[in-house]
Amino acid sequence: QVQLVESGGGLVQAGESLRLSCGVSGSAFTMNAAAWYRQAPEKQRELVAVITTGGRVHLAESVKGRFIISRDNAKNTLYLQMAGLKPEDTAVYYCSLGSFTGISFYPNSRWGQGTQVTVSS
């Protein structure tokens, strides 16, 4: 059973940066696309960023120019470097493995516990 463990969240001020990490157990990481989602209070979970096995990246419009997604296959770890954080980035961030069509991401792993990111104004 693949397990995903997110970390790196915290409380920051607007304009500051954070780097999130997602550790993945097992061998599924290198065979799957990977993604970051976030869920703000009383809102639906939304896709933030995707990286394919070949390194192709897709970013939501709201984070383009500010967030960078990357992966280290040797460490089975997914990253999300977030800069220029805004209060509207406040959410619980989750990572996921799955498949990516170029438009849609289809998760095929269980959700981890997520990591809270809070951005104060």
Side-chain angles (χ1 to χ4, degrees), residues 75-96:
K75 296 182 178 180
N76 270 19
T77 302
L78 178 71
Y79 301 101
L80 186 67
Q81 181 69 49
M82 306 185 294
L85 283 163
K86 305 175 182 180
E88 52 263 44
D89 294 318
T90 295
V92 179
Y93 285 71
Y94 301 88
C95 58
S96 176

Side-chain angles (χ1 to χ4, degrees), residues 4 28-37 47 49-54 56 58 71 95-111:
L4 292 84
F29 184 68
T30 58
M31 297 183 289
N32 285 271
W36 286 99
Y37 283 78
L47 182 65
V50 178
I51 185 166
T52 67
T53 54
R56 184 160 55 104
H58 167 84
R71 63 192 297 163
C95 58
S96 176
L97 302 183
S99 57
F100 184 56
T101 66
I103 298 175
S104 300
F105 184 83
Y106 296 92
N108 62 21
S109 61
R110 288 189 175 184
W111 299 104

Side-chain angles (χ1 to χ4, degrees), residues 60-75:
E61 285 296 326
S62 59
V63 305
K64 280 184 179 178
R66 301 187 299 123
F67 290 12
I68 298 172
I69 185 172
S70 62
R71 63 192 297 163
D72 186 335
N73 289 336
K75 296 182 178 180

Side-chain angles (χ1 to χ4, degrees), residues 35-50:
W36 286 99
Y37 283 78
R38 66 185 180 188
Q39 187 166 21
E42 300 181 358
K43 290 189 176 181
Q44 287 191 330
R45 194 168 298 187
E46 64 170 338
L47 182 65
V48 175
V50 178

Side-chain angles (χ1 to χ4, degrees), residues 8-27:
L11 172 62
V12 297
Q13 293 188 335
E16 293 185 339
S17 300
L18 279 175
R19 188 176 82 155
L20 306 184
S21 298
C22 171
V24 181
S25 66
S27 60

